[in-house]
Amino acid sequence: MKRSSKKQQTQESTGKVEEKYAKPLFKDLEENLTFLEETLGKSSDLVIRRFTLDKSKRCGVLYIDGMVDKDTVQHYVMDALLLEAPKTGLSFRHVYDTLKDSALPIGELTETSQFDDLLLKLLSGETIVLIDHEKKGLSASTKGWANRGVQENTSEGVIRGPKEAFTETLRFNTSMLRRKIKDPDLRMDAKRIGRMTKTDTVVVYIKDTADQSIVDEVHARLDKIDIDGVLESGYIEEYIEDPPYSPFPRVYYSERPDAIAAGLLEGRVAIITDGTPNVLLVPGLFVHFMQSSEDYYQRFDIGTVIRLLRLFALFVSLFMPALYIGVTTFHQEMIPAPLLISLAAQREGVPFPAFVEAVLMELAFEVLREAGVRLPRPVGSAVSIVGALVLGDAAVQAGLVSPAMVIVVAITAISSFVIPSYNMAISVRMLRFLLMLLAAVFGLYGIILGLIALVLHLTSLNSFGIPYLSPFAPLVVKDQKDVLVRFPHWGLFTRPQPLARNNQKRMSEPSKSKEETK
């Protein structure tokens, strides 16, 4: 009852705030300007320019300093009003229509008659033109705040492929996708999320390629978001992913325009959020997190080998410490005698069991990894590398850990870096500790038990109605061409079946005569 009453109070207060500004403009110019000035608390970045048109009609121009392109305001609004408009022979009665139809050379010019709409446009970087004795205003698109230009992607590095990355500006990001997919069926549906931030969000998909049910589900989940502010796409990710209580990510994100464009061509749906370079892509399946854009830029045989190596690194990162603990603690008979004698000699002076030893080393390495990420870039890499070397050598010299454990932890850490998706790598790092605990209690039986539970959990997951382990479970034979192995581009005739049900064919299959000729 308390939670429902609090929620009801929040909705009522939000409604009162919206009703406060949801009223029509006044007819008097000064009354409108005074109301806007008081509403914004006489902010120092609010610019109001009052002037008179043709010695008879009073006007006002408003904009937020720092959010508009001042050159555009000066040349296409102020010069047009003060220099060009009087030449058109303004009449007192039709000055508003004249300005709207022929005086303002702005590509995007809209009308507004409500204060809530006017405030939203003003705070979004548009310039407002108000005229005395008119209960309507004109909004000119003059957005031009400072932004970061297109730079090289540093979080998803590739040897071969585009180097550009998304930026924090929404229109930059949509234009990069338009440049890669020049198809009229590319749809971009705009939304605003957040009661106070009103963050611009765009849902991107290719009509008749993406499954319409997935598109509708994305819109429905976005419309349900009720929060005061959205500052990054991570806010939206937590609201729209299916069951929140799973360590595995179900929403893919990337800073690479080519990766998002490839997902759109497969039938996925992208969500672009203003103010962040990370673009969301749904549905996010398990195999998607294990693939990299470079797989499609290298030759198919090289891409296949890299994928298999990546899958091997995933199993090493997940199971190697647990296997070491289980074998050395419970199943010494599985180790060859010379190796067993060497391991026993190394562990002779170690005071901790293998599980405690592994946990201490793993935690120390995780701390060093996080320190390397948070520190300034020139210092971070040096601290993480030197710290790991010094710490590992000092721990062995002090007799706290065995040299074999240092090797196991080092190989495990290096293998985790092979996983291309950062959030999938974090999930593997968390599950590693659980498997280590099962190995310390039950040995190899505990690892098998953990593996069975892991597979059962993965098969129970869905991402926007699509099975998480697709196309493995359920098995889709024709989609195996682009999972563990990658067929040549001329062999990938169809899109993934669960995603693009309406438009399956990517290309026409080569005829038998052409194949025989080759």
Side-chain angles (χ1 to χ4, degrees):
M1 293 295 291
K2 290 182 179 179
R3 290 182 180 178
S4 61
S5 61
K6 286 183 179 180
K7 185 176 180 180
Q8 186 176 2
Q9 289 176 3
T10 304
Q11 292 177 348
E12 289 177 357
S13 62
T14 305
K16 290 179 182 178
V17 172
E18 293 176 352
E19 291 176 1
K20 181 179 179 181
Y21 305 118
K23 56 183 180 180
L25 271 66
F26 304 118
K27 198 169 185 179
D28 183 68
L29 173 65
E30 284 301 324
E31 197 172 354
N32 288 327
L33 296 179
T34 302
F35 178 81
L36 292 171
E37 195 172 13
E38 292 178 352
T39 299
L40 296 176
K42 298 183 179 180
S43 299
S44 58
D45 59 349
L46 174 63
V47 178
I48 300 178
R49 174 72 161 85
R50 295 174 173 85
F51 57 93
T52 304
L53 282 175
D54 199 23
K55 300 181 181 180
S56 59
K57 199 73 168 178
R58 290 184 299 127
C59 298
V61 173
L62 305 90
Y63 61 87
I64 302 296
D65 189 16
M67 298 193 68
V68 300
D69 184 357
K70 286 190 175 182
D71 290 336
T72 303
V73 175
Q74 181 63 40
H75 296 300
Y76 296 100
V77 178
M78 300 304 299
D79 288 353
L81 291 174
L82 294 174
L83 302 178
E84 301 298 330
K87 299 178 183 179
T88 59
L90 290 172
S91 63
F92 187 82
R93 293 183 178 180
H94 304 97
V95 60
Y96 179 84
D97 294 331
T98 305
L99 292 179
K100 183 184 69 172
D101 297 334
S102 59
L104 291 174
I106 293 288
E108 187 177 346
L109 190 68
T110 57
E111 290 186 353
T112 177
S113 59
Q114 296 285 329
F115 275 110
D116 55 349
D117 184 42
L118 187 148
L119 285 167
L120 178 59
K121 292 179 178 179
L122 178 65
L123 297 173
S124 298
E126 298 189 10
T127 299
I128 307 298
V129 179
L130 298 177
I131 303 170
D132 196 20
H133 294 94
E134 290 289 345
K135 301 185 70 173
K136 295 182 292 184
L138 296 174
S139 174
S141 179
T142 57
K143 299 176 182 178
W145 51 77
N147 55 69
R148 178 174 65 95
V150 178
Q151 297 177 356
E152 182 176 352
N153 190 344
T154 57
S155 61
E156 302 172 67
V158 294
I159 303 299
R160 181 177 181 179
K163 307 298 182 183
E164 62 184 2
F166 287 120
T167 69
E168 288 78 12
T169 306
L170 180 68
R171 281 298 160 224
F172 275 17
N173 298 339
T174 57
S175 65
M176 281 192 275
L177 290 179
R178 285 284 186 190
R179 194 178 67 182
K180 292 187 177 296
I181 304 178
K182 304 176 183 68
D183 193 291
D185 287 334
L186 183 65
R187 297 289 186 264
M188 295 189 177
D189 302 337
K191 291 180 178 294
R192 282 195 175 97
I193 303 177
R195 296 194 301 265
M196 299 178 69
T197 59
K198 292 181 173 57
T199 305
D200 291 319
T201 306
V202 176
V203 178
V204 187
Y205 61 95
I206 301 177
K207 184 183 177 183
D208 297 330
T209 297
D211 192 345
Q212 189 59 41
S213 62
I214 297 178
V215 176
D216 295 339
E217 182 66 21
V218 171
H219 280 287
R221 295 188 187 187
L222 291 176
D223 292 338
K224 289 180 181 177
I225 298 177
D226 183 17
I227 190 175
D228 57 351
V230 173
L231 303 178
E232 212 273 340
S233 58
Y235 288 65
I236 296 176
E237 179 182 354
E238 290 193 20
Y239 271 98
I240 66 174
E241 66 178 352
D242 286 76
Y245 305 109
S246 174
F248 293 97
R250 265 74 34 82
V251 177
Y252 183 82
Y253 70 85
S254 177
E255 293 185 24
R256 298 184 58 88
D258 58 329
I260 301 300
L264 293 174
L265 292 173
E266 288 183 345
R268 290 182 166 88
V269 180
I271 303 171
I272 307 177
T273 307
D274 190 27
T276 174
N278 295 306
V279 176
L280 306 180
L281 195 65
V282 295
L285 308 181
F286 181 81
V287 294
H288 196 192
F289 292 95
M290 296 302 299
Q291 297 174 354
S292 173
S293 301
E294 196 175 9
D295 296 349
Y296 301 93
Y297 305 145
Q298 302 285 358
R299 282 173 36 191
F300 70 95
D301 50 352
I302 299 175
T304 298
V305 171
I306 293 175
R307 281 189 179 180
L308 294 175
L309 179 64
R310 200 177 291 142
L311 188 64
F312 173 74
L314 171 68
F315 280 97
V316 170
S317 175
L318 187 59
F319 292 105
M320 189 170 184
L323 286 173
Y324 178 82
I325 293 171
V327 170
T328 56
T329 305
F330 294 99
H331 309 281
Q332 294 90 347
E333 69 277 2
M334 298 179 63
I335 307 175
L339 180 58
L340 180 60
I341 294 172
S342 175
L343 292 176
Q346 293 176 21
R347 291 190 46 81
E348 185 178 359
V350 177
F352 305 113
F355 172 69
V356 176
E357 186 183 1
V359 169
L360 290 176
M361 288 302 298
E362 287 288 348
L363 288 177
F365 191 85
E366 294 296 334
V367 171
L368 285 172
R369 183 180 350 215
E370 286 301 311
V373 172
R374 308 305 166 197
L375 287 171
R377 188 170 300 174
V379 182
S381 58
V383 168
S384 58
I385 295 173
V386 175
L389 291 174
V390 172
L391 185 63
D393 184 65
V396 172
Q397 293 295 330
L400 298 178
V401 296
S402 62
M405 181 57 73
V406 175
I407 295 173
V408 169
V409 172
I411 294 175
T412 302
I414 294 172
S415 299
S416 66
F417 288 123
V418 179
I419 302 174
S421 177
Y422 180 72
N423 48 354
M424 178 60 76
I426 293 178
S427 301
V428 171
R429 284 155 58 183
M430 291 189 300
L431 291 172
R432 186 191 307 154
F433 288 94
L434 180 60
L435 290 172
M436 288 164 54
L437 178 61
L438 290 173
V441 177
F442 302 106
L444 293 182
Y445 299 104
I447 298 176
I448 298 299
L449 179 64
L451 179 60
I452 294 173
L454 188 62
V455 172
L456 290 175
H457 176 68
L458 287 172
T459 54
S460 68
L461 295 179
N462 289 297
S463 180
F464 286 82
I466 307 297
Y468 192 56
L469 286 184
S470 178
F472 294 126
L475 181 66
V476 182
V477 177
K478 66 177 182 178
D479 287 349
Q480 304 301 317
K481 298 179 180 179
D482 190 20
V483 184
L484 297 180
V485 300
R486 183 183 79 76
F487 275 37
H489 286 291
W490 45 262
L492 301 175
F493 310 127
T494 58
R495 295 181 173 87
Q497 183 177 353
L499 300 176
R501 299 173 183 173
N502 302 323
N503 185 13
Q504 281 279 303
K505 289 189 176 182
R506 285 180 177 268
M507 54 184 290
S508 58
E509 299 185 15
S511 60
K512 292 184 179 180
S513 59
K514 289 183 180 180
E515 291 179 356
E516 292 174 356
T517 304
K518 291 180 181 179

